[in-house]
Amino acid sequence: VEQAENEVNEIEHEFSSEPLYEAVTLGTKTFATECVDYQNDVLKVLFGWKEEGGILAAPSDYEELYCAIELGFNSTDKVVVLPKVKMNSRAVLASMKTDVSRGNITGTAYSAWVKGGSGNAIKTDMFIIAGGAEGETATYTLSEVEPTV
């Protein structure tokens, strides 16, 4: 997960070296990982391939796919969650003589409403939550629109 540089727009102050006003827009967060698993189910679900009559075919047009992505770690029970990621994955079949083919699983993070436990819903594009005991998943609720009480 990587965040692009923030965009800063300043209105210069005529009588001072400091700006009169400074607007900051947060940089876009992107997600990227690689997968060497080219099973049919992986290609169909993550890459948009279609299976018909014994043929597994790559898509000819982009189809939107949004995913919630959870990143768990062995050293802690915390889970990093990207609640809404617009996927932009691609299969890369190259360097097969000296390496393995890889699927680039990538996407851009967007905000969604998240609610954990008895707290209020928060609009965010990334959050951290406790995952519970080993093997358990984090407990939270995601929504595209602000939940009503």
Side-chain angles (χ1 to χ4, degrees), residues 16-69:
S16 172
S17 61
E18 295 179 357
L20 185 62
Y21 178 76
E22 181 177 272
V24 178
T25 303
L26 294 177
T28 303
K29 289 182 184 76
T30 55
F31 170 81
T33 190
E34 291 184 335
C35 174
V36 295
D37 188 349
Y38 273 97
Q39 294 181 49
N40 290 6
D41 289 341
V42 174
L43 288 170
K44 288 189 288 188
V45 174
L46 283 177
F47 299 94
W49 289 46
K50 305 283 188 232
E51 188 171 18
E52 190 66 45
I55 296 173
L56 187 62
S60 57
D61 294 314
Y62 175 78
E63 292 182 27
E64 286 188 348
L65 172 64
Y66 289 91
C67 296
I69 296 175

mmCIF file of all heavy atoms in Angstrom, residues 16-69:
data_model
loop_
_atom_site.group_PDB
_atom_site.id
_atom_site.type_symbol
_atom_site.label_atom_id
_atom_site.label_comp_id
_atom_site.label_asym_id
_atom_site.label_seq_id
_atom_site.Cartn_x
_atom_site.Cartn_y
_atom_site.Cartn_z
ATOM 1 N N SER A 16 4.069 39.161 2.487
ATOM 2 C CA SER A 16 4.700 38.228 3.415
ATOM 3 C C SER A 16 5.311 37.080 2.624
ATOM 4 O O SER A 16 4.896 36.772 1.507
ATOM 5 C CB SER A 16 3.648 37.683 4.392
ATOM 6 O OG SER A 16 4.199 36.657 5.177
ATOM 7 N N SER A 17 6.310 36.426 3.235
ATOM 8 C CA SER A 17 6.932 35.273 2.577
ATOM 9 C C SER A 17 6.093 34.008 2.786
ATOM 10 O O SER A 17 6.316 33.001 2.124
ATOM 11 C CB SER A 17 8.346 35.071 3.105
ATOM 12 O OG SER A 17 8.305 34.818 4.492
ATOM 13 N N GLU A 18 5.132 34.066 3.706
ATOM 14 C CA GLU A 18 4.255 32.922 3.939
ATOM 15 C C GLU A 18 3.011 33.044 3.068
ATOM 16 O O GLU A 18 2.542 34.145 2.790
ATOM 17 C CB GLU A 18 3.861 32.857 5.412
ATOM 18 C CG GLU A 18 5.041 32.599 6.317
ATOM 19 C CD GLU A 18 4.655 32.572 7.781
ATOM 20 O OE1 GLU A 18 3.471 32.805 8.098
ATOM 21 O OE2 GLU A 18 5.535 32.316 8.606
ATOM 22 N N PRO A 19 2.456 31.923 2.643
ATOM 23 C CA PRO A 19 1.267 31.999 1.787
ATOM 24 C C PRO A 19 0.059 32.545 2.555
ATOM 25 O O PRO A 19 -0.051 32.384 3.765
ATOM 26 C CB PRO A 19 1.037 30.553 1.363
ATOM 27 C CG PRO A 19 1.713 29.725 2.389
ATOM 28 C CD PRO A 19 2.853 30.549 2.914
ATOM 29 N N LEU A 20 -0.845 33.166 1.816
ATOM 30 C CA LEU A 20 -2.084 33.667 2.390
ATOM 31 C C LEU A 20 -2.981 32.493 2.757
ATOM 32 O O LEU A 20 -3.650 32.487 3.785
ATOM 33 C CB LEU A 20 -2.781 34.575 1.373
ATOM 34 C CG LEU A 20 -4.035 35.287 1.812
ATOM 35 C CD1 LEU A 20 -3.734 36.231 2.968
ATOM 36 C CD2 LEU A 20 -4.627 36.070 0.646
ATOM 37 N N TYR A 21 -2.994 31.477 1.886
ATOM 38 C CA TYR A 21 -3.805 30.288 2.111
ATOM 39 C C TYR A 21 -3.117 29.104 1.449
ATOM 40 O O TYR A 21 -2.485 29.245 0.408
ATOM 41 C CB TYR A 21 -5.205 30.478 1.499
ATOM 42 C CG TYR A 21 -6.090 29.269 1.651
ATOM 43 C CD1 TYR A 21 -6.684 28.959 2.862
ATOM 44 C CD2 TYR A 21 -6.320 28.420 0.574
ATOM 45 C CE1 TYR A 21 -7.497 27.851 3.003
ATOM 46 C CE2 TYR A 21 -7.126 27.300 0.708
ATOM 47 C CZ TYR A 21 -7.711 27.023 1.923
ATOM 48 O OH TYR A 21 -8.498 25.913 2.055
ATOM 49 N N GLU A 22 -3.247 27.949 2.052
ATOM 50 C CA GLU A 22 -2.648 26.733 1.512
ATOM 51 C C GLU A 22 -3.688 25.611 1.566
ATOM 52 O O GLU A 22 -4.200 25.302 2.636
ATOM 53 C CB GLU A 22 -1.428 26.352 2.335
ATOM 54 C CG GLU A 22 -0.705 25.127 1.849
ATOM 55 C CD GLU A 22 0.531 24.851 2.676
ATOM 56 O OE1 GLU A 22 1.587 25.399 2.333
ATOM 57 O OE2 GLU A 22 0.416 24.101 3.660
ATOM 58 N N ALA A 23 -4.014 25.046 0.424
ATOM 59 C CA ALA A 23 -4.950 23.925 0.352
ATOM 60 C C ALA A 23 -4.165 22.646 0.081
ATOM 61 O O ALA A 23 -3.334 22.603 -0.819
ATOM 62 C CB ALA A 23 -5.970 24.155 -0.760
ATOM 63 N N VAL A 24 -4.454 21.619 0.870
ATOM 64 C CA VAL A 24 -3.754 20.339 0.724
ATOM 65 C C VAL A 24 -4.773 19.260 0.348
ATOM 66 O O VAL A 24 -5.790 19.100 1.022
ATOM 67 C CB VAL A 24 -3.036 19.938 2.029
ATOM 68 C CG1 VAL A 24 -2.356 18.583 1.876
ATOM 69 C CG2 VAL A 24 -2.034 21.005 2.444
ATOM 70 N N THR A 25 -4.476 18.539 -0.728
ATOM 71 C CA THR A 25 -5.288 17.398 -1.143
ATOM 72 C C THR A 25 -4.454 16.142 -0.914
ATOM 73 O O THR A 25 -3.323 16.053 -1.410
ATOM 74 C CB THR A 25 -5.674 17.503 -2.636
ATOM 75 O OG1 THR A 25 -6.359 18.734 -2.850
ATOM 76 C CG2 THR A 25 -6.550 16.345 -3.056
ATOM 77 N N LEU A 26 -5.003 15.208 -0.146
ATOM 78 C CA LEU A 26 -4.263 13.987 0.149
ATOM 79 C C LEU A 26 -3.992 13.186 -1.118
ATOM 80 O O LEU A 26 -4.829 13.130 -2.022
ATOM 81 C CB LEU A 26 -5.047 13.115 1.135
ATOM 82 C CG LEU A 26 -5.244 13.690 2.532
ATOM 83 C CD1 LEU A 26 -6.109 12.741 3.370
ATOM 84 C CD2 LEU A 26 -3.908 13.930 3.208
ATOM 85 N N GLY A 27 -2.832 12.563 -1.171
ATOM 86 C CA GLY A 27 -2.469 11.728 -2.310
ATOM 87 C C GLY A 27 -3.274 10.439 -2.330
ATOM 88 O O GLY A 27 -3.692 9.923 -1.296
ATOM 89 N N THR A 28 -3.486 9.910 -3.507
ATOM 90 C CA THR A 28 -4.238 8.675 -3.698
ATOM 91 C C THR A 28 -3.462 7.489 -3.139
ATOM 92 O O THR A 28 -2.253 7.382 -3.343
ATOM 93 C CB THR A 28 -4.495 8.456 -5.197
ATOM 94 O OG1 THR A 28 -5.177 9.590 -5.709
ATOM 95 C CG2 THR A 28 -5.309 7.220 -5.456
ATOM 96 N N LYS A 29 -4.167 6.581 -2.465
ATOM 97 C CA LYS A 29 -3.544 5.352 -1.980
ATOM 98 C C LYS A 29 -3.741 4.267 -3.031
ATOM 99 O O LYS A 29 -4.828 4.103 -3.570
ATOM 100 C CB LYS A 29 -4.174 4.912 -0.659
ATOM 101 C CG LYS A 29 -3.833 5.792 0.504
ATOM 102 C CD LYS A 29 -4.462 5.260 1.779
ATOM 103 C CE LYS A 29 -4.204 6.183 2.942
ATOM 104 N NZ LYS A 29 -5.030 7.380 2.906
ATOM 105 N N THR A 30 -2.679 3.539 -3.301
ATOM 106 C CA THR A 30 -2.759 2.431 -4.245
ATOM 107 C C THR A 30 -2.296 1.150 -3.568
ATOM 108 O O THR A 30 -1.495 1.171 -2.632
ATOM 109 C CB THR A 30 -1.904 2.684 -5.501
ATOM 110 O OG1 THR A 30 -0.560 2.961 -5.095
ATOM 111 C CG2 THR A 30 -2.445 3.847 -6.311
ATOM 112 N N PHE A 31 -2.827 0.059 -4.051
ATOM 113 C CA PHE A 31 -2.492 -1.265 -3.537
ATOM 114 C C PHE A 31 -1.860 -2.060 -4.669
ATOM 115 O O PHE A 31 -2.333 -1.997 -5.812
ATOM 116 C CB PHE A 31 -3.765 -1.976 -3.059
ATOM 117 C CG PHE A 31 -3.558 -3.424 -2.729
ATOM 118 C CD1 PHE A 31 -3.033 -3.805 -1.506
ATOM 119 C CD2 PHE A 31 -3.882 -4.413 -3.648
ATOM 120 C CE1 PHE A 31 -2.836 -5.139 -1.199
ATOM 121 C CE2 PHE A 31 -3.681 -5.755 -3.354
ATOM 122 C CZ PHE A 31 -3.165 -6.115 -2.127
ATOM 123 N N ALA A 32 -0.806 -2.801 -4.371
ATOM 124 C CA ALA A 32 -0.172 -3.641 -5.395
ATOM 125 C C ALA A 32 0.445 -4.873 -4.736
ATOM 126 O O ALA A 32 1.054 -4.786 -3.668
ATOM 127 C CB ALA A 32 0.891 -2.863 -6.148
ATOM 128 N N THR A 33 0.256 -5.990 -5.385
ATOM 129 C CA THR A 33 0.893 -7.234 -4.966
ATOM 130 C C THR A 33 1.010 -8.126 -6.190
ATOM 131 O O THR A 33 0.502 -7.788 -7.258
ATOM 132 C CB THR A 33 0.097 -7.934 -3.841
ATOM 133 O OG1 THR A 33 0.870 -9.013 -3.307
ATOM 134 C CG2 THR A 33 -1.236 -8.451 -4.339
ATOM 135 N N GLU A 34 1.683 -9.250 -6.052
ATOM 136 C CA GLU A 34 1.837 -10.183 -7.163
ATOM 137 C C GLU A 34 1.300 -11.543 -6.766
ATOM 138 O O GLU A 34 1.343 -11.921 -5.593
ATOM 139 C CB GLU A 34 3.302 -10.307 -7.571
ATOM 140 C CG GLU A 34 3.854 -9.071 -8.217
ATOM 141 C CD GLU A 34 5.280 -9.254 -8.690
ATOM 142 O OE1 GLU A 34 6.010 -10.113 -8.140
ATOM 143 O OE2 GLU A 34 5.677 -8.545 -9.617
ATOM 144 N N CYS A 35 0.820 -12.264 -7.757
ATOM 145 C CA CYS A 35 0.268 -13.600 -7.547
ATOM 146 C C CYS A 35 0.844 -14.515 -8.622
ATOM 147 O O CYS A 35 0.863 -14.159 -9.799
ATOM 148 C CB CYS A 35 -1.256 -13.526 -7.652
ATOM 149 S SG CYS A 35 -2.071 -15.117 -7.581
ATOM 150 N N VAL A 36 1.320 -15.689 -8.235
ATOM 151 C CA VAL A 36 1.838 -16.644 -9.215
ATOM 152 C C VAL A 36 0.857 -17.796 -9.417
ATOM 153 O O VAL A 36 1.180 -18.778 -10.072
ATOM 154 C CB VAL A 36 3.242 -17.181 -8.825
ATOM 155 C CG1 VAL A 36 4.263 -16.073 -8.854
ATOM 156 C CG2 VAL A 36 3.214 -17.877 -7.483
ATOM 157 N N ASP A 37 -0.337 -17.670 -8.875
ATOM 158 C CA ASP A 37 -1.366 -18.689 -8.968
ATOM 159 C C ASP A 37 -2.273 -18.395 -10.163
ATOM 160 O O ASP A 37 -3.078 -17.483 -10.128
ATOM 161 C CB ASP A 37 -2.181 -18.705 -7.675
ATOM 162 C CG ASP A 37 -3.160 -19.867 -7.614
ATOM 163 O OD1 ASP A 37 -3.363 -20.542 -8.647
ATOM 164 O OD2 ASP A 37 -3.731 -20.093 -6.536
ATOM 165 N N TYR A 38 -2.125 -19.156 -11.226
ATOM 166 C CA TYR A 38 -2.917 -18.941 -12.440
ATOM 167 C C TYR A 38 -4.029 -19.977 -12.590
ATOM 168 O O TYR A 38 -4.344 -20.413 -13.686
ATOM 169 C CB TYR A 38 -2.008 -18.958 -13.673
ATOM 170 C CG TYR A 38 -1.420 -17.595 -13.954
ATOM 171 C CD1 TYR A 38 -0.142 -17.273 -13.521
ATOM 172 C CD2 TYR A 38 -2.142 -16.639 -14.643
ATOM 173 C CE1 TYR A 38 0.397 -16.027 -13.772
ATOM 174 C CE2 TYR A 38 -1.611 -15.384 -14.897
ATOM 175 C CZ TYR A 38 -0.345 -15.098 -14.464
ATOM 176 O OH TYR A 38 0.180 -13.852 -14.705
ATOM 177 N N GLN A 39 -4.647 -20.383 -11.483
ATOM 178 C CA GLN A 39 -5.782 -21.284 -11.573
ATOM 179 C C GLN A 39 -6.960 -20.545 -12.203
ATOM 180 O O GLN A 39 -7.077 -19.325 -12.107
ATOM 181 C CB GLN A 39 -6.172 -21.784 -10.188
ATOM 182 C CG GLN A 39 -5.121 -22.670 -9.538
ATOM 183 C CD GLN A 39 -5.580 -23.154 -8.183
ATOM 184 O OE1 GLN A 39 -6.693 -23.651 -8.047
ATOM 185 N NE2 GLN A 39 -4.728 -22.991 -7.181
ATOM 186 N N ASN A 40 -7.861 -21.304 -12.818
ATOM 187 C CA ASN A 40 -9.005 -20.708 -13.495
ATOM 188 C C ASN A 40 -9.813 -19.786 -12.589
ATOM 189 O O ASN A 40 -10.216 -18.693 -13.001
ATOM 190 C CB ASN A 40 -9.913 -21.794 -14.069
ATOM 191 C CG ASN A 40 -9.287 -22.509 -15.245
ATOM 192 O OD1 ASN A 40 -8.128 -22.276 -15.587
ATOM 193 N ND2 ASN A 40 -10.041 -23.390 -15.862
ATOM 194 N N ASP A 41 -10.076 -20.194 -11.346
ATOM 195 C CA ASP A 41 -10.880 -19.378 -10.436
ATOM 196 C C ASP A 41 -10.219 -18.031 -10.150
ATOM 197 O O ASP A 41 -10.888 -17.004 -10.071
ATOM 198 C CB ASP A 41 -11.145 -20.110 -9.122
ATOM 199 C CG ASP A 41 -12.125 -21.263 -9.295
ATOM 200 O OD1 ASP A 41 -12.857 -21.273 -10.318
ATOM 201 O OD2 ASP A 41 -12.164 -22.145 -8.417
ATOM 202 N N VAL A 42 -8.916 -18.031 -9.988
ATOM 203 C CA VAL A 42 -8.187 -16.784 -9.730
ATOM 204 C C VAL A 42 -8.276 -15.864 -10.947
ATOM 205 O O VAL A 42 -8.569 -14.673 -10.825
ATOM 206 C CB VAL A 42 -6.710 -17.063 -9.366
ATOM 207 C CG1 VAL A 42 -5.915 -15.771 -9.254
ATOM 208 C CG2 VAL A 42 -6.627 -17.864 -8.074
ATOM 209 N N LEU A 43 -8.038 -16.409 -12.124
ATOM 210 C CA LEU A 43 -8.113 -15.598 -13.344
ATOM 211 C C LEU A 43 -9.517 -15.039 -13.561
ATOM 212 O O LEU A 43 -9.688 -13.891 -13.963
ATOM 213 C CB LEU A 43 -7.671 -16.413 -14.553
ATOM 214 C CG LEU A 43 -6.174 -16.710 -14.631
ATOM 215 C CD1 LEU A 43 -5.884 -17.728 -15.720
ATOM 216 C CD2 LEU A 43 -5.369 -15.445 -14.839
ATOM 217 N N LYS A 44 -10.531 -15.826 -13.282
ATOM 218 C CA LYS A 44 -11.910 -15.378 -13.492
ATOM 219 C C LYS A 44 -12.307 -14.301 -12.483
ATOM 220 O O LYS A 44 -12.868 -13.275 -12.859
ATOM 221 C CB LYS A 44 -12.877 -16.561 -13.418
ATOM 222 C CG LYS A 44 -12.772 -17.489 -14.627
ATOM 223 C CD LYS A 44 -13.859 -18.534 -14.666
ATOM 224 C CE LYS A 44 -13.664 -19.597 -13.628
ATOM 225 N NZ LYS A 44 -14.601 -20.723 -13.757
ATOM 226 N N VAL A 45 -12.014 -14.514 -11.224
ATOM 227 C CA VAL A 45 -12.469 -13.589 -10.182
ATOM 228 C C VAL A 45 -11.641 -12.305 -10.140
ATOM 229 O O VAL A 45 -12.191 -11.207 -10.119
ATOM 230 C CB VAL A 45 -12.468 -14.281 -8.795
ATOM 231 C CG1 VAL A 45 -12.790 -13.291 -7.698
ATOM 232 C CG2 VAL A 45 -13.460 -15.430 -8.778
ATOM 233 N N LEU A 46 -10.337 -12.411 -10.135
ATOM 234 C CA LEU A 46 -9.497 -11.225 -9.966
ATOM 235 C C LEU A 46 -9.119 -10.511 -11.263
ATOM 236 O O LEU A 46 -8.850 -9.321 -11.259
ATOM 237 C CB LEU A 46 -8.204 -11.586 -9.230
ATOM 238 C CG LEU A 46 -8.340 -11.770 -7.734
ATOM 239 C CD1 LEU A 46 -7.010 -12.196 -7.137
ATOM 240 C CD2 LEU A 46 -8.839 -10.517 -7.064
ATOM 241 N N PHE A 47 -9.098 -11.253 -12.369
ATOM 242 C CA PHE A 47 -8.643 -10.666 -13.621
ATOM 243 C C PHE A 47 -9.738 -10.532 -14.672
ATOM 244 O O PHE A 47 -9.506 -10.023 -15.754
ATOM 245 C CB PHE A 47 -7.468 -11.477 -14.189
ATOM 246 C CG PHE A 47 -6.275 -11.501 -13.279
ATOM 247 C CD1 PHE A 47 -6.088 -12.537 -12.381
ATOM 248 C CD2 PHE A 47 -5.344 -10.475 -13.307
ATOM 249 C CE1 PHE A 47 -4.994 -12.555 -11.533
ATOM 250 C CE2 PHE A 47 -4.248 -10.485 -12.464
ATOM 251 C CZ PHE A 47 -4.071 -11.527 -11.574
ATOM 252 N N GLY A 48 -10.935 -11.028 -14.370
ATOM 253 C CA GLY A 48 -12.067 -10.862 -15.268
ATOM 254 C C GLY A 48 -12.097 -11.786 -16.466
ATOM 255 O O GLY A 48 -12.791 -11.518 -17.442
ATOM 256 N N TRP A 49 -11.363 -12.889 -16.411
ATOM 257 C CA TRP A 49 -11.366 -13.827 -17.527
ATOM 258 C C TRP A 49 -12.705 -14.574 -17.555
ATOM 259 O O TRP A 49 -13.365 -14.733 -16.532
ATOM 260 C CB TRP A 49 -10.214 -14.816 -17.394
ATOM 261 C CG TRP A 49 -8.856 -14.198 -17.628
ATOM 262 C CD1 TRP A 49 -8.387 -13.022 -17.117
ATOM 263 C CD2 TRP A 49 -7.801 -14.726 -18.412
ATOM 264 N NE1 TRP A 49 -7.101 -12.793 -17.535
ATOM 265 C CE2 TRP A 49 -6.716 -13.829 -18.340
ATOM 266 C CE3 TRP A 49 -7.661 -15.875 -19.167
ATOM 267 C CZ2 TRP A 49 -5.527 -14.049 -19.001
ATOM 268 C CZ3 TRP A 49 -6.458 -16.098 -19.821
ATOM 269 C CH2 TRP A 49 -5.406 -15.183 -19.739
ATOM 270 N N LYS A 50 -13.091 -15.058 -18.722
ATOM 271 C CA LYS A 50 -14.342 -15.798 -18.900
ATOM 272 C C LYS A 50 -14.034 -17.209 -19.386
ATOM 273 O O LYS A 50 -13.131 -17.413 -20.192
ATOM 274 C CB LYS A 50 -15.248 -15.112 -19.932
ATOM 275 C CG LYS A 50 -15.555 -13.662 -19.648
ATOM 276 C CD LYS A 50 -16.591 -13.506 -18.576
ATOM 277 C CE LYS A 50 -17.012 -12.045 -18.469
ATOM 278 N NZ LYS A 50 -16.939 -11.512 -17.169
ATOM 279 N N GLU A 51 -14.821 -18.183 -18.891
ATOM 280 C CA GLU A 51 -14.651 -19.568 -19.313
ATOM 281 C C GLU A 51 -15.892 -20.001 -20.085
ATOM 282 O O GLU A 51 -17.008 -19.859 -19.606
ATOM 283 C CB GLU A 51 -14.445 -20.468 -18.092
ATOM 284 C CG GLU A 51 -14.063 -21.875 -18.431
ATOM 285 C CD GLU A 51 -13.664 -22.681 -17.214
ATOM 286 O OE1 GLU A 51 -13.985 -22.278 -16.080
ATOM 287 O OE2 GLU A 51 -13.019 -23.716 -17.406
ATOM 288 N N GLU A 52 -15.664 -20.528 -21.283
ATOM 289 C CA GLU A 52 -16.775 -20.944 -22.141
ATOM 290 C C GLU A 52 -16.297 -22.049 -23.067
ATOM 291 O O GLU A 52 -15.310 -21.879 -23.781
ATOM 292 C CB GLU A 52 -17.278 -19.746 -22.965
ATOM 293 C CG GLU A 52 -18.562 -19.990 -23.706
ATOM 294 C CD GLU A 52 -19.757 -20.199 -22.783
ATOM 295 O OE1 GLU A 52 -19.899 -19.434 -21.812
ATOM 296 O OE2 GLU A 52 -20.524 -21.139 -23.043
ATOM 297 N N GLY A 53 -16.975 -23.185 -23.040
ATOM 298 C CA GLY A 53 -16.666 -24.278 -23.960
ATOM 299 C C GLY A 53 -15.239 -24.781 -23.880
ATOM 300 O O GLY A 53 -14.639 -25.115 -24.900
ATOM 301 N N GLY A 54 -14.677 -24.830 -22.685
ATOM 302 C CA GLY A 54 -13.309 -25.318 -22.522
ATOM 303 C C GLY A 54 -12.240 -24.276 -22.797
ATOM 304 O O GLY A 54 -11.056 -24.581 -22.772
ATOM 305 N N ILE A 55 -12.647 -23.028 -23.078
ATOM 306 C CA ILE A 55 -11.698 -21.941 -23.325
ATOM 307 C C ILE A 55 -11.742 -20.968 -22.161
ATOM 308 O O ILE A 55 -12.813 -20.598 -21.687
ATOM 309 C CB ILE A 55 -12.055 -21.188 -24.627
ATOM 310 C CG1 ILE A 55 -11.914 -22.111 -25.837
ATOM 311 C CG2 ILE A 55 -11.193 -19.943 -24.790
ATOM 312 C CD1 ILE A 55 -12.404 -21.489 -27.125
ATOM 313 N N LEU A 56 -10.585 -20.564 -21.697
ATOM 314 C CA LEU A 56 -10.473 -19.520 -20.683
ATOM 315 C C LEU A 56 -9.905 -18.297 -21.385
ATOM 316 O O LEU A 56 -8.765 -18.308 -21.840
ATOM 317 C CB LEU A 56 -9.550 -19.974 -19.547
ATOM 318 C CG LEU A 56 -9.466 -19.068 -18.337
ATOM 319 C CD1 LEU A 56 -10.827 -18.941 -17.652
ATOM 320 C CD2 LEU A 56 -8.451 -19.588 -17.340
ATOM 321 N N ALA A 57 -10.708 -17.247 -21.517
ATOM 322 C CA ALA A 57 -10.333 -16.100 -22.350
ATOM 323 C C ALA A 57 -10.167 -14.828 -21.530
ATOM 324 O O ALA A 57 -10.967 -14.537 -20.640
ATOM 325 C CB ALA A 57 -11.404 -15.872 -23.421
ATOM 326 N N ALA A 58 -9.137 -14.068 -21.874
ATOM 327 C CA ALA A 58 -8.890 -12.763 -21.248
ATOM 328 C C ALA A 58 -9.967 -11.780 -21.694
ATOM 329 O O ALA A 58 -10.500 -11.896 -22.797
ATOM 330 C CB ALA A 58 -7.513 -12.247 -21.642
ATOM 331 N N PRO A 59 -10.288 -10.801 -20.851
ATOM 332 C CA PRO A 59 -11.321 -9.831 -21.221
ATOM 333 C C PRO A 59 -10.835 -8.898 -22.333
ATOM 334 O O PRO A 59 -9.655 -8.590 -22.418
ATOM 335 C CB PRO A 59 -11.560 -9.056 -19.930
ATOM 336 C CG PRO A 59 -10.294 -9.200 -19.162
ATOM 337 C CD PRO A 59 -9.744 -10.539 -19.522
ATOM 338 N N SER A 60 -11.771 -8.475 -23.182
ATOM 339 C CA SER A 60 -11.428 -7.513 -24.232
ATOM 340 C C SER A 60 -11.767 -6.094 -23.807
ATOM 341 O O SER A 60 -11.323 -5.142 -24.437
ATOM 342 C CB SER A 60 -12.152 -7.862 -25.534
ATOM 343 O OG SER A 60 -13.545 -7.896 -25.324
ATOM 344 N N ASP A 61 -12.556 -5.946 -22.748
ATOM 345 C CA ASP A 61 -12.919 -4.635 -22.203
ATOM 346 C C ASP A 61 -12.766 -4.660 -20.695
ATOM 347 O O ASP A 61 -12.922 -5.703 -20.057
ATOM 348 C CB ASP A 61 -14.372 -4.277 -22.551
ATOM 349 C CG ASP A 61 -14.587 -4.072 -24.037
ATOM 350 O OD1 ASP A 61 -13.766 -3.370 -24.661
ATOM 351 O OD2 ASP A 61 -15.563 -4.634 -24.566
ATOM 352 N N TYR A 62 -12.492 -3.489 -20.125
ATOM 353 C CA TYR A 62 -12.370 -3.368 -18.679
ATOM 354 C C TYR A 62 -13.745 -3.432 -18.030
ATOM 355 O O TYR A 62 -14.686 -2.797 -18.491
ATOM 356 C CB TYR A 62 -11.681 -2.045 -18.303
ATOM 357 C CG TYR A 62 -11.631 -1.809 -16.811
ATOM 358 C CD1 TYR A 62 -10.698 -2.468 -16.022
ATOM 359 C CD2 TYR A 62 -12.527 -0.960 -16.189
ATOM 360 C CE1 TYR A 62 -10.654 -2.276 -14.655
ATOM 361 C CE2 TYR A 62 -12.495 -0.764 -14.817
ATOM 362 C CZ TYR A 62 -11.554 -1.426 -14.056
ATOM 363 O OH TYR A 62 -11.523 -1.242 -12.700
ATOM 364 N N GLU A 63 -13.869 -4.235 -16.985
ATOM 365 C CA GLU A 63 -15.088 -4.281 -16.190
ATOM 366 C C GLU A 63 -14.729 -3.897 -14.766
ATOM 367 O O GLU A 63 -13.782 -4.428 -14.198
ATOM 368 C CB GLU A 63 -15.696 -5.677 -16.211
ATOM 369 C CG GLU A 63 -16.254 -6.088 -17.559
ATOM 370 C CD GLU A 63 -16.904 -7.467 -17.525
ATOM 371 O OE1 GLU A 63 -17.379 -7.875 -16.447
ATOM 372 O OE2 GLU A 63 -16.927 -8.118 -18.567
ATOM 373 N N GLU A 64 -15.501 -2.969 -14.194
ATOM 374 C CA GLU A 64 -15.219 -2.518 -12.837
ATOM 375 C C GLU A 64 -15.367 -3.650 -11.838
ATOM 376 O O GLU A 64 -16.300 -4.440 -11.908
ATOM 377 C CB GLU A 64 -16.161 -1.380 -12.451
ATOM 378 C CG GLU A 64 -15.831 -0.081 -13.122
ATOM 379 C CD GLU A 64 -16.657 1.073 -12.578
ATOM 380 O OE1 GLU A 64 -17.634 0.853 -11.837
ATOM 381 O OE2 GLU A 64 -16.303 2.216 -12.893
ATOM 382 N N LEU A 65 -14.422 -3.708 -10.918
ATOM 383 C CA LEU A 65 -14.444 -4.666 -9.827
ATOM 384 C C LEU A 65 -13.932 -3.954 -8.590
ATOM 385 O O LEU A 65 -12.827 -3.384 -8.606
ATOM 386 C CB LEU A 65 -13.557 -5.877 -10.142
ATOM 387 C CG LEU A 65 -13.347 -6.876 -9.000
ATOM 388 C CD1 LEU A 65 -14.662 -7.545 -8.608
ATOM 389 C CD2 LEU A 65 -12.304 -7.924 -9.380
ATOM 390 N N TYR A 66 -14.728 -3.944 -7.540
ATOM 391 C CA TYR A 66 -14.325 -3.355 -6.267
ATOM 392 C C TYR A 66 -14.148 -4.476 -5.254
ATOM 393 O O TYR A 66 -14.951 -5.408 -5.204
ATOM 394 C CB TYR A 66 -15.375 -2.369 -5.759
ATOM 395 C CG TYR A 66 -15.439 -1.097 -6.569
ATOM 396 C CD1 TYR A 66 -16.298 -0.977 -7.654
ATOM 397 C CD2 TYR A 66 -14.631 -0.012 -6.248
ATOM 398 C CE1 TYR A 66 -16.356 0.192 -8.396
ATOM 399 C CE2 TYR A 66 -14.686 1.157 -6.990
ATOM 400 C CZ TYR A 66 -15.549 1.245 -8.059
ATOM 401 O OH TYR A 66 -15.590 2.398 -8.791
ATOM 402 N N CYS A 67 -13.100 -4.381 -4.445
ATOM 403 C CA CYS A 67 -12.809 -5.373 -3.414
ATOM 404 C C CYS A 67 -12.474 -4.677 -2.106
ATOM 405 O O CYS A 67 -11.949 -3.568 -2.104
ATOM 406 C CB CYS A 67 -11.608 -6.232 -3.805
ATOM 407 S SG CYS A 67 -11.855 -7.224 -5.269
ATOM 408 N N ALA A 68 -12.758 -5.345 -1.004
ATOM 409 C CA ALA A 68 -12.237 -4.942 0.302
ATOM 410 C C ALA A 68 -11.006 -5.810 0.531
ATOM 411 O O ALA A 68 -11.052 -7.023 0.327
ATOM 412 C CB ALA A 68 -13.269 -5.163 1.398
ATOM 413 N N ILE A 69 -9.911 -5.195 0.921
ATOM 414 C CA ILE A 69 -8.653 -5.928 1.083
ATOM 415 C C ILE A 69 -8.210 -5.860 2.535
ATOM 416 O O ILE A 69 -8.131 -4.777 3.120
ATOM 417 C CB ILE A 69 -7.566 -5.350 0.156
ATOM 418 C CG1 ILE A 69 -7.986 -5.563 -1.300
ATOM 419 C CG2 ILE A 69 -6.213 -5.981 0.442
ATOM 420 C CD1 ILE A 69 -7.081 -4.942 -2.314
#
